[in-house]
Amino acid sequence: MDQFVITGGRPLQGVVQVSGAKNAALPILCASLLSSEPLHLLNVPHLRDVQTLLKILSGMGVQCDQTGNEVMLRAERIESPTASYDWVKTMRASILVLGPLLARCGYAKVSLPGGCAIGERPVDLHIKGLEAMGAVIEIVHGDMVARADRLNGAHIFMDTVTVTGTENLMMAAVLAEGTTILENAAREPEVVDLARCLRAMGAQISGDGTDLITIQGVSVLRGAKHTIMADRIEAGTLLVAGAATRGDITLQGIDAGVLESVLDKLMEANARIDLAPQQIRLTMLGENHGVSLRTSPYPAFPTDMQAQFMAMNAVARGTTVVTETIFENRFMHVQELRRMGANIEVEGNVAIIRGVSRLEGATVMATDLRASAGLVIAGLIAEGETVVDRIYHLDRGYEQMEVKLAALGANVFRRSRKGDHGTV
Ligand code: EPZ
């Protein structure tokens, strides 16, 4: 079980390249199931979740070849349209094979995801949408067994904005008979990146990036080449690390347009942001000001950046309020930050942070992907040494984080310890 050992107190400085986006790569890898022709992907991040998905796809009969950040996939024949519990329990996003398998094979057996550290996370809207398109879905021994001769276009209103729900239904609809309309759809940039890739494969999609997406079904999709967008959450995490350590950092390979709400909050925290094409520079104009925030679907403030800002607020001037509206259990990092001396009170989905003058290094435990990013930032700020345990959570969504931070001057290294690998 790997750990990060961080000695805090150094302002981050320098230039770093942003990797491809996990939350775009996962659905796009699943899109390979929709065609018998090759899908050539560039800028695919080297992450544990990506490796897990490649194993799931290979198990179905998809030919997967990876060289560096390039992946060539070919689903000429899908021998076994199934995703077992052993895989799904390690990565919920594997549910993204359901729509494409049903559309391509008319059959899919996918384990129903269980509970998750950050919330209940039901998939009822995925199921409801596919049923509206004519699928018959039964839950048998914990698996969703789905059948449909050919899916039909439908007008689907989603009660709650769901990112992977929108992506699953979009992938199901591209090969359906007729037109599908997704209303109250997710507007996340990763949904748009998936739509771009599907259009390159011959799909007819419009309205992605808005809450109303229209898909005109076609009978077959072709192969394509696609470059995965940059990871806005990795970029946001690095920018908050730069701000919290009062540094001067430049990110390359990222479009600021997908980070507006995060950049606004950083400027509120007293950062200066300079933009150039595919580049963001952050410098601090003085001490950190605390910023209150409320998570919400895109384009509002992302829930995946909440823990990182909370770590920065812990030592910022003033009292701030953080409201988490997406997931009901996404304050697991609070107890760990308190161990470092933070002053945080939680009432339901609201956290009140009273800025303290300093954090102290301590051994803390990561509980989920973004909580671990928040703890790493706290370690970069704290006096003395911080050990972040269970860093496998971080490896799920950040490509070589310790290497990038060290390139920015941080005193951080990875230490390996034998032990078990948990989930989520
Ligand atoms: C995606 O998860 C991301 N994962 C998450 O990132 C991100 O936190 C989340 O969107 C919100 O932005 C991927 O893209 C792989 P949702 P997803 O369905 O799609 C409820 C990270 O750190 N809901 O948009 O699973 C649900 O419970 C991860 O990289 C239903 O009620 O999230 C939640 O409250 C963590 N029924 C809300 O909707 C459904 O059928 C939004 O969840 C589906 C969702």
Side-chain angles (χ1 to χ4, degrees):
M1 197 168 7
D2 287 7
Q3 305 173 312
F4 271 13
V5 181
I6 308 167
T7 303
R10 288 193 190 166
L12 298 188
Q13 292 191 331
V15 181
V16 74
Q17 182 77 22
V18 179
S19 298
K22 167 180 82 81
N23 290 346
L26 297 177
I28 290 174
L29 287 165
C30 295
S32 65
L33 295 163
L34 290 164
S35 171
S36 59
E37 294 184 20
L39 180 61
H40 185 185
L41 300 178
L42 306 169
N43 202 30
V44 180
H46 252 286
L47 300 170
R48 221 154 64 85
D49 278 6
V50 168
Q51 298 315 314
T52 303
L53 190 53
L54 288 174
K55 288 191 190 117
I56 294 174
L57 294 172
S58 311
M60 294 176 183
V62 180
Q63 203 187 319
C64 305
D65 299 307
Q66 184 171 23
T67 324
N69 294 103
E70 240 179 280
V71 177
M72 183 68 90
L73 304 124
R74 185 160 194 171
E76 206 161 350
R77 268 166 34 78
I78 298 174
E79 271 121 30
S80 137
T82 64
S84 70
Y85 178 65
D86 287 343
W87 289 121
V88 174
K89 75 175 181 198
T90 63
M91 185 187 67
R92 309 179 56 78
S94 29
I95 191 168
L96 285 162
V97 300
L98 183 60
L101 285 175
L102 207 45
R104 172 90 186 275
C105 314
Y107 175 85
K109 186 168 134 184
V110 177
S111 171
L112 198 60
C116 167
I118 63 175
E120 198 196 315
R121 302 184 75 177
V123 292
D124 56 317
L125 298 175
H126 300 236
I127 296 172
K128 203 170 145 210
L130 291 169
E131 287 175 338
M133 299 171 82
V136 176
I137 303 181
E138 295 169 285
I139 310 296
V140 184
H141 302 302
D143 290 330
M144 291 174 283
V145 179
R147 289 186 178 82
D149 296 337
R150 177 154 188 212
L151 294 169
N152 300 309
H155 189 132
I156 301 167
F157 180 87
M158 288 184 273
D159 304 334
T160 306
V161 173
T162 160
V163 176
T164 51
T166 300
E167 293 165 342
N168 233 338
L169 297 178
M170 202 157 73
M171 289 193 277
V174 289
L175 291 177
E177 181 75 52
T179 305
T180 298
I181 294 176
L182 302 179
E183 211 174 327
N184 198 27
R187 302 164 57 183
E188 269 65 6
E190 295 75 20
V191 172
V192 174
D193 204 33
L194 172 63
R196 268 200 219 106
C197 179
L198 292 169
R199 275 194 290 269
M201 296 169 76
Q204 295 186 16
I205 303 174
S206 58
D208 44 298
T210 76
D211 59 4
L212 194 73
I213 301 177
T214 304
I215 304 113
Q216 179 63 49
V218 295
S219 53
V220 61
L221 290 181
R222 58 176 180 264
K225 188 174 180 176
H226 179 82
T227 302
I228 305 280
M229 65 175 282
D231 196 317
R232 64 190 169 104
I233 305 298
E234 182 205 24
T237 303
L238 291 165
L239 289 169
V240 173
T245 59
R246 296 172 70 176
D248 175 349
I249 68 167
T250 300
L251 303 186
Q252 288 180 331
I254 178 82
D255 165 16
V258 296
L259 272 170
E260 270 178 37
S261 61
V262 172
L263 296 177
D264 281 353
K265 285 292 170 190
L266 284 165
M267 288 189 272
E268 215 181 297
N270 209 18
R272 176 187 154 137
I273 303 288
D274 293 300
L275 302 179
Q278 292 296 310
Q279 188 174 297
I280 303 173
R281 180 176 179 193
L282 174 141
T283 45
M284 288 305 286
L285 299 170
E287 63 170 353
N288 294 83
H289 299 168
V291 287
S292 293
L293 55 92
R294 181 185 182 83
T295 67
S296 213
Y298 189 88
F301 187 89
T303 172
D304 295 347
M305 285 301 303
Q306 178 252 100
Q308 299 91 320
F309 270 80
M310 196 184 285
M312 180 173 77
N313 281 343
V315 289
R317 198 185 66 194
T319 299
T320 51
V321 177
V322 168
T323 308
E324 174 57 58
T325 74
I326 306 281
F327 294 113
E328 60 277 19
N329 189 31
R330 206 167 202 183
F331 284 150
M332 301 283 273
H333 40 285
V334 168
Q335 195 46 37
E336 301 301 311
L337 289 173
R338 284 188 188 133
R339 287 174 41 71
M340 300 175 77
N343 179 347
I344 306 175
E345 228 179 287
V346 172
E347 296 246 351
N349 69 338
V350 175
I352 298 156
I353 302 108
R354 292 185 179 79
V356 295
S357 57
R358 51 193 277 280
L359 291 181
E360 279 184 1
T363 299
V364 291
M365 188 152 72
T367 48
D368 60 80
L369 169 57
R370 307 304 171 182
S372 46
L375 297 178
V376 168
I377 291 172
L380 294 169
I381 305 168
E383 283 175 14
E385 186 178 276
T386 295
V387 175
V388 184
D389 218 341
R390 300 187 175 199
I391 220 67
Y392 58 79
H393 287 289
L394 195 85
D395 291 336
R396 299 191 49 193
Y398 294 94
E399 192 173 34
Q400 298 192 308
M401 180 59 112
E402 77 277 22
V403 175
K404 293 195 181 186
L405 290 174
L408 293 170
N411 183 340
V412 54
F413 65 91
R414 176 185 293 262
R415 182 162 66 193
S416 296
R417 265 191 341 151
K418 294 275 162 288
D420 69 289
H421 273 263
T423 61
V424 179

